Amino acid sequence: MNAASHFDYVIIGNGLAGLQLALKFASDAFFNDKQIALIDPSKKNVNDKTWSFWEKEPSQWNHIIQKHWKQAAVLTSKKKIDLELEPYTYKSIRSIDFYNDAKEKLNNYKHIHFIIDTVVSVKESNIVTIEAKRNNYTASQVFDSRIPNNFSKLSSNYINIIQHFKGWIIKTDNDAFNENQVTMMDYRLKDGEQTTFTYILPFSKNEALVEFTYFTETIVDEKVYDNYIESYISKYLNIDNYTILETEMGQIPMTNFPFDKFNTKQITKIGTGGGWVKGSTGYSFKSSEKKVDIIINNIKANKTPSHGLFKTKYKFYDNIFLKVLKDENHKGEWIFQQFYNKNSVQTMFLFLDEESTFFEELKIMWSLFSWSFIKAFFKTL
């Protein structure tokens, strides 16, 4: 093995977490003398998803934001809840814009290397050996975004809700959307007694992403999503003529599986494979950003990179929520109606960002007070 195949840090996977971590390495002079490699089988030149998140200004992502909103809405079968988001802004980024921006920046650094290869295995001894299809590599530290091999074998012992969805970006002949308000959840169109909702990102008055989403334990055939999207556009948006510009599909795990148990001193699981997706919502963009900051600070302080990545109390809250969704999946509409009807959206964002106070958490838990949550609480304990 030649010297060129050894690196101080290897990042496996050029997705959200891998590229955010690489950008942090690049922007910190502490790592200027470190050789860093990103290994992925893909060149990341396809728009494969849309990331949405909320944050306060200013932001390092503003230059690649596709659209932002100061207003949002949650609709249920009983009411519409209008949300004024200030001081937050809800934002959306196309994955291809993020990939291109990250690659353009990282290509300016001679100590950062992109490698097109497929990792087969990672083995830890005095150094970490990465076996891939085209070559083998070694590293002092590895950051691995792949789902642990044991997940499929062990996941049945844990709660596993899948957030799965399909979306159409449509363009209408006439003005059809309120471009100033994102629809975070519309529960009026349902697939039986399950938690399903429609999500709308209006990019302009006549262009929007319309997405049908499930929070369930099993997935559905692709045609099922299409039928519900088509029905929603016709029945609730009252749109007859439109063109489908793009489509996207995805599956996001909402689980209490202990991904962090697979972290070691030399190998850190990151992204979805590291449990960075918030169990109760499926959001990951800002969560990844925060966890990358923790990893960088840990390395500089000579600590294990994964030290302190998770907060126990929020894992507990997520477990309660997931338990209710598993046992009584039809409760999803009621849960989110209570969330946003009984609490300010600013408080909810603090809670979901894991920045809330105990008093705020108590208030949120009280708004969900029911026999379902009492049972889930004690089962989680």
Side-chain angles (χ1 to χ4, degrees):
M1 185 175 296
N2 58 53
S5 63
H6 177 78
F7 302 92
D8 296 286
Y9 305 111
V10 164
I11 299 170
I12 301 173
N14 294 348
L16 175 64
L19 288 173
Q20 282 192 346
L21 180 57
L23 288 169
K24 276 294 181 181
F25 277 137
S27 64
D28 195 322
F30 182 87
F31 300 99
N32 283 354
D33 63 342
K34 305 298 183 183
Q35 294 298 311
I36 301 163
L38 296 96
I39 305 176
D40 194 292
S42 168
K43 293 183 179 181
K44 295 295 180 182
N45 53 11
V46 174
N47 186 51
D48 52 9
K49 57 177 65 71
T50 300
W51 286 301
S52 295
F53 54 96
W54 52 81
E55 63 181 356
K56 299 176 184 178
E57 301 291 350
S59 170
Q60 63 176 310
W61 312 112
N62 279 1
H63 64 291
I64 55 171
I65 296 295
Q66 182 182 14
K67 176 75 175 177
H68 67 271
W69 301 265
K70 292 289 187 179
Q71 299 171 345
V74 174
L75 292 89
T76 70
S77 54
K78 296 181 178 180
K79 62 170 58 181
K80 179 184 180 185
I81 305 169
D82 291 309
L83 305 169
E84 295 293 336
L85 305 183
E86 290 280 6
Y88 291 94
T89 303
Y90 195 84
K91 303 178 180 181
S92 181
I93 293 178
R94 284 160 42 95
S95 62
I96 190 63
D97 295 331
F98 174 80
Y99 299 148
N100 288 341
D101 183 68
K103 289 188 293 184
E104 182 181 351
K105 289 176 179 175
L106 294 171
N107 281 328
N108 291 322
Y109 296 89
K110 293 182 179 180
H111 63 296
I112 295 180
H113 313 270
F114 284 97
I115 299 173
I116 302 298
D117 208 342
T118 301
V119 173
V120 176
S121 68
V122 177
K123 298 177 181 178
E124 185 177 10
S125 55
N126 293 330
I127 59 173
V128 185
T129 302
I130 302 115
E131 180 187 351
K133 288 185 177 180
R134 296 182 180 180
N135 198 2
N136 291 340
Y137 314 89
T138 59
S140 302
Q141 287 280 345
V142 168
F143 302 92
D144 188 359
S145 64
R146 298 172 306 144
I147 300 290
N149 292 331
N150 286 336
F151 177 72
S152 58
K153 299 177 183 177
L154 302 176
S155 60
S156 59
N157 299 325
Y158 300 91
I159 301 172
N160 287 290
I161 304 295
I162 306 168
Q163 180 180 153
H164 53 105
F165 53 85
K166 183 174 183 180
W168 296 356
I169 296 179
I170 64 171
K171 190 176 184 67
T172 61
D173 294 341
N174 302 307
D175 293 349
F177 304 104
N178 176 1
E179 62 181 332
N180 299 315
Q181 185 180 68
V182 56
T183 300
M184 294 175 68
M185 295 175 170
D186 186 341
Y187 285 96
R188 292 175 295 171
L189 182 62
K190 297 180 181 180
D191 183 357
E193 294 298 310
Q194 303 181 100
T195 293
T196 60
F197 59 89
T198 307
Y199 174 63
I200 304 175
L201 294 178
F203 302 124
S204 68
K205 291 180 180 179
N206 67 337
E207 187 175 324
L209 169 66
V210 181
E211 197 164 85
F212 195 73
T213 301
Y214 289 77
F215 285 2
T216 55
E217 292 186 272
T218 56
I219 61 173
V220 298
D221 185 78
E222 184 174 353
K223 190 62 180 175
V224 175
Y225 305 108
D226 292 331
N227 290 339
Y228 279 106
I229 296 170
E230 188 174 7
S231 177
Y232 186 90
I233 292 171
S234 173
K235 183 177 180 180
Y236 294 97
L237 295 178
N238 298 311
I239 298 172
D240 296 320
N241 299 311
Y242 58 89
T243 303
I244 302 173
L245 302 179
E246 293 181 41
T247 65
E248 66 176 42
M249 288 184 67
Q251 297 180 25
I252 302 172
M254 299 167 63
T255 179
N256 62 351
F257 183 82
F259 291 99
D260 54 304
K261 300 297 183 184
F262 294 85
N263 292 327
T264 68
K265 287 186 176 181
Q266 294 174 289
I267 301 172
T268 305
K269 304 297 288 186
I270 64 172
T272 302
W276 288 16
V277 175
K278 187 164 178 61
S280 58
T281 64
Y283 279 98
S284 61
F285 195 92
K286 294 301 290 185
S287 171
S288 294
E289 187 179 0
K290 290 178 180 179
K291 285 178 169 46
V292 161
D293 284 341
I294 292 171
I295 286 174
I296 293 295
N297 289 332
N298 283 339
I299 294 173
K300 292 168 70 173
N302 201 29
K303 295 180 180 178
T304 301
S306 59
H307 175 75
L309 280 182
F310 298 95
K311 299 177 182 179
T312 303
K313 68 173 180 177
Y314 288 104
K315 277 195 169 186
F316 179 74
Y317 297 144
D318 284 346
N319 285 350
I320 296 173
F321 176 86
L322 288 170
K323 184 64 178 170
V324 174
L325 273 185
K326 176 180 171 60
D327 294 345
E328 301 179 73
N329 192 255
H330 64 282
K331 287 274 189 179
E333 178 183 1
W334 177 83
I335 291 169
F336 284 102
Q337 177 179 294
Q338 295 297 100
F339 266 151
Y340 291 103
N341 194 42
K342 300 289 186 181
N343 306 281
S344 73
V345 66
Q346 291 79 14
T347 299
M348 284 306 307
F349 283 177
L350 283 170
F351 178 69
L352 296 174
D353 284 340
E354 303 188 354
E355 297 173 354
S356 51
T357 65
F358 179 71
F359 176 77
E360 290 165 335
E361 294 153 20
L362 197 62
K363 185 175 182 294
I364 290 169
M365 289 298 117
W366 182 254
S367 71
L368 297 173
F369 186 80
S370 66
W371 179 236
S372 299
F373 273 82
I374 292 172
K375 287 190 296 183
F377 177 86
F378 284 105
K379 286 180 181 179
T380 302
L381 277 181

